[in-house]
Amino acid sequence: MSRIQKKNRHSQLFPRIYAGIFVCMIILLIYLGINQRSAVAQKNPSIESRRVQNVTCTEIQDDSAPAGLRREYILEDIQKEQSNDCLAFYLVHQYAQVYIEDELVYSLTPENAAFVNQDVGCNWVMLPLSQDMVGKQMQIVVTPIYQEVKNRTTEFLIGSRYRISLETVRSDLADILLSIVALGVGIGFMVISLMSLLQRKGKNTLLYLGLFSACIGTWKILDIQSAPLIFYRHPMLLSQISLAALSLAVVPFILYIQLQFKESRHRVLDVAGGISLLNTFLQILLQLTGLMDMRESLQFTHISMGVTVIAVIHVVIAEWHKKRRDRKLWLTMGFFLLCVVGAVLDVGLFYIKGNSFRLLNTLVLFVVYIIVMGLMTLVEMNQRAMIDYSTGLYNRSRCSELLRSEDILENQVCLIMFDLNQLKMVNDTWGHEAGDEMISRFANALQQTIPASAFLGRYGGDEFIAVIRECTPENVEDILSNLEKTISVDNARQELKVHYAVGYAMSDDCPESTLRILLKKADQAMYEHKRKFYEHMGKNGRKFMEKEEQ
């Protein structure tokens, strides 16, 4: 197996493993959604909701509780203000039991905790209360499931279900909008990339960036307080999808960075990718075996994210030493460092608060980063679609697009047409690699002599055109003279000589002409030059010309 084949196989390893783990995670989430339920028991479910006040809290140490403690809230003197008032409180990975004068009227626990997990996700409890509960004492027992949330206290709201839901959505509005932007941008980038791949016009760069953006958007929009209000039947699944999206976001980001610096393979990114793949696989395994919930293994995701950050910083610094003048690299490094700062702040606050609510630094900065990098990638894809890969000049498609213009040319526009001589003979005698080298050498000579402001493209296999504006015949002759000198110097160093024919036409000589008209006249002049070249070679030259015409 050749070195190139080995490199290609190695570059496809992480995407394939990631695809397999991604499918496994989707299967796990479907399985969890089908097989797990919260056991909710509620008395008088049809009665409209109400609100209560006067809350006292007692913290009780309980070794039998998952986090070693539970909190008992006593709500005194329940008063009904409106017919649709209700008691509402939000739980973050916590169990709950509600008693009215020692009678259990509501409980929230996992239905099959021993089999899959002990989590119930994040839940809004909207407890409708009847008129006969006025003036009675209400006891609410809240039991944290994980150590990370055991310091979180519960706030109780009073009002109608509609009012509480509306206020919650309003408070989450920034998170919702940013998440929708991330999802929309991600899906858009993936669609564009897939269409480009189907047309064989692009690579996976935008696909990976889009997948990363979609994962980030999914994670955040399902991690807000409004989510359980909308998808109230599956709060556990919401939490698990959110955690899964965060875990699955790391590898696409690594693959995107790898493609940005594909010229030099960085092993540190391979290591970071391997750690992230292992983390996601372990989360699936631990969840299925019931050894650890996805929420409990969140710290592993944070570790893999930290390793990825360190790896990317290392790569960016290494590339910066090589390409200090690369403006894109400077922009990439600046935005990424801002994202790192935001992520560090949010992760730190997450472990302090026990949740990620209202932590927008990471989301804001990453959405900006994704949009900027995506737009830059789109521009590059568009440019690559118009560039001939082997020469770096505009390709035939771009040349044809330019020549389709029906605009009448202004004065001092020149179109020059070039054609390599004896290319077919070179291909037949020395092989196509020698012919490709000959084309590349001639393209380099053109780039050195044709003004940078001019249009320069490869019109066919051995045909090139240049369109120069604000140009006089004297300027053209100087350009062609410099080209001849450049080719002569190059030929002196090479065994295989480059010969070419050239012809040009000026808009001043063709009133009310278009580029297509100039092309025809330049082509005629170039063909006459080619004919003289082969006539100079004698009998063999006429044979070569006949072969080229065929």
Side-chain angles (χ1 to χ4, degrees):
M1 184 182 295
S2 68
R3 185 177 179 180
I4 295 177
Q5 288 175 322
K6 289 182 179 179
K7 184 177 180 180
N8 289 337
R9 286 189 61 184
H10 188 271
S11 65
Q12 292 297 319
L13 181 61
F14 279 130
R16 289 173 180 173
I17 297 176
Y18 176 76
I21 291 181
F22 189 95
V23 171
C24 291
M25 183 65 80
I26 297 300
I27 294 173
L28 171 64
L29 293 174
I30 294 173
Y31 174 78
L32 293 175
I34 294 173
N35 289 280
Q36 61 185 8
R37 294 287 185 276
S38 298
V40 178
Q42 180 174 318
K43 185 177 180 181
N44 300 328
S46 61
I47 300 177
E48 292 183 350
S49 35
R50 56 161 293 186
R51 66 163 49 181
V52 285
Q53 296 178 349
N54 301 326
V55 180
T56 58
C57 175
T58 304
E59 187 174 296
I60 301 172
Q61 300 297 321
D62 184 354
D63 294 336
S64 63
L69 65 84
R70 53 187 170 86
R71 289 186 176 85
E72 291 187 359
Y73 297 88
I74 304 298
L75 284 68
E76 301 282 358
D77 191 21
I78 300 172
Q79 297 297 322
K80 183 176 182 179
E81 297 180 0
Q82 297 181 9
S83 60
N84 59 352
D85 278 348
C86 70
L87 168 69
F89 54 97
Y90 186 65
L91 299 174
V92 180
H93 304 289
Q94 295 164 312
Y95 304 146
Q97 293 84 35
V98 180
Y99 299 88
I100 296 180
E101 293 188 346
D102 297 328
E103 181 183 2
L104 180 66
V105 296
Y106 180 92
S107 69
L108 175 65
T109 55
E111 188 174 14
N112 48 0
F115 181 63
V116 179
N117 63 11
Q118 61 178 346
D119 195 14
V120 292
C122 300
N123 294 265
W124 270 103
V125 177
M126 300 279 190
L127 187 64
L129 301 171
S130 60
Q131 182 64 38
D132 60 4
M133 297 177 182
V134 174
K136 295 182 180 180
Q137 184 186 82
M138 180 178 291
Q139 179 187 19
I140 301 174
V141 180
V142 176
T143 306
I145 302 173
Y146 307 117
Q147 293 292 329
E148 292 84 357
V149 297
K150 74 175 186 178
N151 294 325
R152 178 182 174 84
T153 57
T154 304
E155 295 181 354
F156 299 90
L157 302 177
I158 301 171
S160 67
R161 177 184 292 269
Y162 171 78
R163 182 197 302 177
I164 293 171
S165 300
L166 184 61
E167 290 175 354
T168 303
V169 170
R170 284 177 178 174
S171 66
D172 287 340
L173 193 58
D175 304 71
I176 294 171
L177 292 176
L178 286 169
S179 301
I180 291 174
V181 170
L183 275 168
V185 169
I187 293 171
F189 284 173
M190 286 191 288
V191 170
I192 293 172
S193 181
L194 289 172
M195 291 176 62
S196 180
L197 287 171
L198 289 173
Q199 297 173 3
R200 298 183 179 180
K201 293 182 179 180
K203 295 186 178 180
N204 297 329
T205 307
L206 209 57
L207 176 64
Y208 294 141
L209 186 62
L211 186 56
F212 171 69
S213 180
C215 287
I216 291 295
T218 302
W219 156 66
K220 192 59 183 177
I221 202 167
L222 297 181
D223 194 47
I224 58 178
Q225 292 187 10
S226 303
L229 290 172
I230 301 171
F231 306 101
Y232 59 90
R233 293 184 181 275
H234 302 284
M236 287 180 290
L237 187 59
L238 291 182
S239 176
Q240 288 153 353
I241 292 175
S242 177
L243 293 169
L246 186 63
S247 178
L248 291 168
V250 182
V251 170
F253 182 72
I254 293 173
L255 292 171
Y256 169 74
I257 296 297
Q258 281 183 332
L259 286 178
Q260 293 299 301
F261 307 116
K262 57 182 177 294
E263 296 87 359
S264 50
R265 186 85 185 180
H266 293 277
R267 297 297 177 189
V268 66
L269 289 177
D270 295 340
V271 173
I275 291 173
S276 179
L277 290 171
L278 180 62
N279 164 64
T280 308
F281 177 74
L282 285 177
Q283 284 184 316
I284 296 172
L285 192 63
L286 292 171
Q287 181 72 65
L288 284 175
T289 57
L291 295 176
M292 186 177 290
D293 295 338
M294 291 177 67
R295 177 59 178 78
E296 290 179 286
S297 60
L298 179 60
Q299 57 186 331
F300 299 156
T301 299
H302 288 158
I303 291 172
S304 72
M305 292 168 63
V307 172
T308 300
V309 166
I310 294 171
V312 173
I313 291 176
H314 170 81
V315 170
V316 170
I317 292 175
E319 291 292 328
W320 177 75
H321 283 297
K322 299 177 185 177
K323 309 173 184 177
R324 297 192 179 189
R325 296 183 180 180
D326 190 335
R327 296 174 64 182
K328 181 183 177 182
L329 185 60
W330 276 95
L331 192 63
T332 301
M333 182 170 63
F335 271 111
F336 181 72
L337 290 178
L338 285 175
C339 292
V340 169
V341 172
V344 170
L345 287 174
D346 281 353
V347 170
L349 290 172
F350 168 81
Y351 282 103
I352 292 172
K353 295 172 59 178
N355 62 75
S356 59
F357 304 132
R358 311 292 185 269
L359 301 182
L360 294 177
N361 296 316
T362 303
L363 187 59
V364 171
L365 292 171
F366 266 112
V367 166
V368 174
Y369 173 84
I370 289 165
I371 292 175
V372 172
M373 293 298 106
L375 291 176
M376 291 174 63
T377 303
L378 280 173
V379 171
E380 290 179 357
M381 288 174 63
N382 185 55
Q383 290 177 341
R384 283 198 299 267
M386 298 185 296
I387 299 298
D388 178 65
Y389 178 77
S390 60
T391 62
L393 306 180
Y394 285 116
N395 59 18
R396 181 178 179 85
S397 177
R398 180 67 182 93
C399 293
S400 299
E401 180 183 344
L402 179 71
L403 294 170
R404 277 196 297 268
S405 174
E406 297 295 332
D407 295 340
I408 302 300
L409 298 175
E410 299 176 357
N411 294 334
Q412 295 187 331
V413 176
C414 176
L415 189 147
I416 312 175
M417 189 163 191
F418 306 90
D419 192 301
L420 288 175
N421 294 330
Q422 300 178 310
L423 181 63
K424 189 176 189 312
M425 181 197 70
V426 171
N427 286 333
D428 294 341
T429 306
W430 284 281
H432 285 277
E433 289 186 3
D436 292 341
E437 181 187 349
M438 188 175 174
I439 291 171
S440 178
R441 287 166 54 197
F442 185 67
N444 290 335
L446 288 175
Q447 289 176 310
Q448 294 175 37
T449 53
I450 302 296
S453 59
F455 177 91
L456 182 60
R458 185 181 179 187
Y459 188 53
D462 56 356
E463 295 178 330
F464 301 83
I465 62 170
V467 178
I468 309 173
R469 301 181 185 275
E470 298 182 1
C471 180
T472 65
E474 291 77 15
N475 298 143
V476 179
E477 293 297 335
D478 289 341
I479 291 170
L480 296 181
S481 176
N482 291 333
L483 176 62
E484 186 176 354
K485 292 176 183 177
T486 302
I487 293 294
S488 297
V489 172
D490 182 64
N491 282 342
R493 297 193 299 260
Q494 304 289 340
E495 180 181 358
L496 183 62
K497 310 303 180 184
V498 173
H499 298 285
Y500 63 95
V502 60
Y504 68 89
M506 301 289 302
S507 61
D508 293 0
D509 301 329
C510 308
E512 297 186 357
S513 60
T514 62
L515 284 175
R516 180 66 67 178
I517 292 174
L518 288 189
L519 177 68
K520 290 180 180 179
K521 293 186 175 295
D523 184 59
Q524 291 171 0
M526 181 274 297
Y527 184 81
E528 181 63 23
H529 188 202
K530 179 182 285 286
R531 186 182 62 78
K532 291 179 180 179
F533 171 80
Y534 284 115
E535 282 185 355
H536 181 71
M537 293 180 62
K539 184 178 180 180
N540 290 334
R542 287 192 294 272
K543 290 182 179 179
F544 288 138
M545 189 166 185
E546 289 172 0
K547 288 182 179 179
E548 288 198 3
E549 289 176 346
Q550 293 173 358

